[in-house]
Amino acid sequence: AQSVSQHNHHVILSEAASLELGCNYSYGGTVNLFWYVQYPGQHLQLLLKYFSGDPLVKGIKGFEAEFIKSKFSFNLRKPSVQWSDTAEYFCAVLNAGNMLTFGGGTRLMVKP
Amino acid sequence: DTGVSQNPRHKITKRGQNVTFRCDPISEHNRLYWYRQTLGQGPEFLTYFQNEAQLEKSRLLSDRFSAERPKGSFSTLEIQRTEQGDSAMYLCASSPFVGTERADTQYFGPGTRLTVL
């Protein structure tokens, strides 16, 4: 079975700091990868996704992620975080059965 | 798109009672998914439908759980004889028509938080 690992459970940053959240997946074949965000009190929203093509994908709100096949990684980055980025971030992989397998999530707190 | 809607948003019940949740997907999305999320964890897949057909069921879905999607529109998830371990957020998601480029992207609803006392 596929698995997704998110290395950081909690991250605290000051505004304007750079962000990188790690995500590793176990599946070795063709993968569809996603990052979802859950702001406090809100539902899961899609940040960005990778299906094929350019391994550097750009999402909403200035986020980007890089798919590195050799490392089974899909890390999320943002050059300068804002207080409004405080949220929980989930990495997920879509498997052949059309089900998403999620990582455990990373809680990001951005201090103003 | 009006988004995926779920009702109720919160449900408190006593152990042993039955509960039913409803999910209304985004209009014309033909795939509908149910996930469960417990505190501090990512969502875990439960089951999914393509139109009215239930195509996949997780091992997490014990015989106390049943899901339906009559007519391929809204879906219901019923839990019979609830247990304290069923306390969780139950999430519904839908995805667009199969064959489109966006078919593999799932859009989530706000969830139903179940508390079993």
Side-chain angles (χ1 to χ4, degrees):
Chain A
Q2 291 190 39
S3 65
V4 177
S5 298
Q6 293 183 240
H7 317 298
N8 313 101
H9 297 291
H10 293 90
V11 174
I12 301 174
L13 295 173
S14 298
E15 275 194 316
S18 64
L19 170 72
E20 181 161 2
L21 301 182
C23 172
N24 286 92
Y25 60 92
S26 63
Y27 184 60
T30 301
V31 288
N32 292 345
L33 294 158
F34 303 80
W35 276 97
Y36 282 87
V37 61
Q38 189 165 27
Y39 297 103
Q42 297 188 26
H43 60 277
L44 278 167
Q45 300 173 39
L46 181 69
L47 259 185
L48 50 78
K49 60 189 177 185
Y50 172 79
F51 286 176
S52 63
D54 189 344
L56 185 63
V57 291
K58 296 191 182 300
I60 60 171
K61 304 187 180 187
F63 286 90
E64 64 179 31
E66 185 174 13
F67 169 58
I68 303 180
K69 189 174 181 179
S70 61
K71 295 184 178 180
F72 297 88
S73 70
F74 190 55
N75 291 355
L76 181 71
R77 300 194 292 246
K78 185 170 184 178
S80 176
V81 294
Q82 300 172 315
W83 176 77
S84 59
D85 294 324
T86 294
E88 189 158 18
Y89 293 80
F90 293 94
C91 180
V93 60
L94 187 74
N95 66 26
N98 288 303
M99 62 195 76
L100 286 169
T101 298
F102 284 86
T106 298
R107 284 188 182 272
L108 171 66
M109 179 182 292
V110 180
K111 298 184 294 184
Chain B
D1 288 340
T2 56
V4 177
S5 61
Q6 293 186 246
N7 288 289
R9 295 292 304 276
H10 303 273
K11 179 70 177 178
I12 300 173
T13 190
K14 293 183 179 179
R15 189 176 54 186
Q17 297 294 304
N18 299 342
V19 294
T20 300
F21 310 140
R22 176 178 169 129
C23 170
D24 287 88
I26 293 171
S27 178
E28 298 184 354
H29 280 194
N30 73 334
R31 284 185 176 166
L32 185 149
Y33 310 79
W34 285 99
Y35 291 82
R36 183 175 71 184
Q37 185 176 19
T38 53
L39 206 58
Q41 303 294 320
E44 297 172 293
F45 171 81
L46 292 178
T47 188
Y48 99 91
F49 293 83
Q50 182 164 308
N51 300 313
E52 64 275 7
Q54 189 172 16
L55 297 187
E56 287 283 344
K57 291 169 66 173
S58 161
R59 290 189 307 274
L60 293 174
L61 216 65
S62 75
D63 57 5
R64 296 185 297 106
F65 288 70
S66 62
E68 294 183 339
R69 193 184 182 196
K71 304 178 183 178
S73 55
F74 70 92
S75 175
T76 57
L77 177 68
E78 181 183 16
I79 309 174
Q80 295 182 327
R81 306 181 302 282
T82 52
E83 302 173 356
Q84 288 185 323
D86 296 332
S87 294
M89 178 76 86
Y90 290 84
L91 299 172
C92 178
S94 68
S95 63
F97 198 79
V98 174
T100 65
E101 185 178 300
R102 296 168 57 230
D104 289 333
T105 301
Q106 297 178 23
Y107 298 85
F108 284 82
T112 295
R113 183 171 294 284
L114 172 66
T115 302
V116 182
L117 302 175

